[in-house]
Amino acid sequence: MAFVKACALSELEEDTPKRVELDGTPVSVVRTEGEVFAIYDICSHANVSLSEGEVEDCQIECWLHGSAFDLRTGKPSGLPATRPVPVYPVKIEGDDVLVSVTQES
């Protein structure tokens, strides 16, 4: 599993998604509830960026139609999305947030 630097931990504001591109994959990195998560940045229902949505209760909400995805599993919690989005392993080394997009959880 290859980890690459996504951003600095100090760049992440609580409950504010940050969009990054890692090896051609759009990823939303989120710091919430004392943890850092990485989730595929494109909603499985509509082709829009999840990082433009809001974070609450360890979920990220798609701003267009309101589907929310669990940051831990990628599973949608309600319609209109029915398919999960990939989530990626995260490691913190010092101030570096490292993400592996080569293996999905």
Side-chain angles (χ1 to χ4, degrees), residues 4-6 9 17 19 30 34-36 48 53 61 66 78 80 85 87 90:
V4 294
K5 182 177 177 180
L9 185 60
R19 186 182 207 278
V30 181
E35 295 185 67
V36 177
V48 297
E61 183 180 70
V85 293
V87 294
V90 175

Side-chain angles (χ1 to χ4, degrees), residues 20 54 77 82:
V20 296
E54 295 183 11
S77 62
T82 58

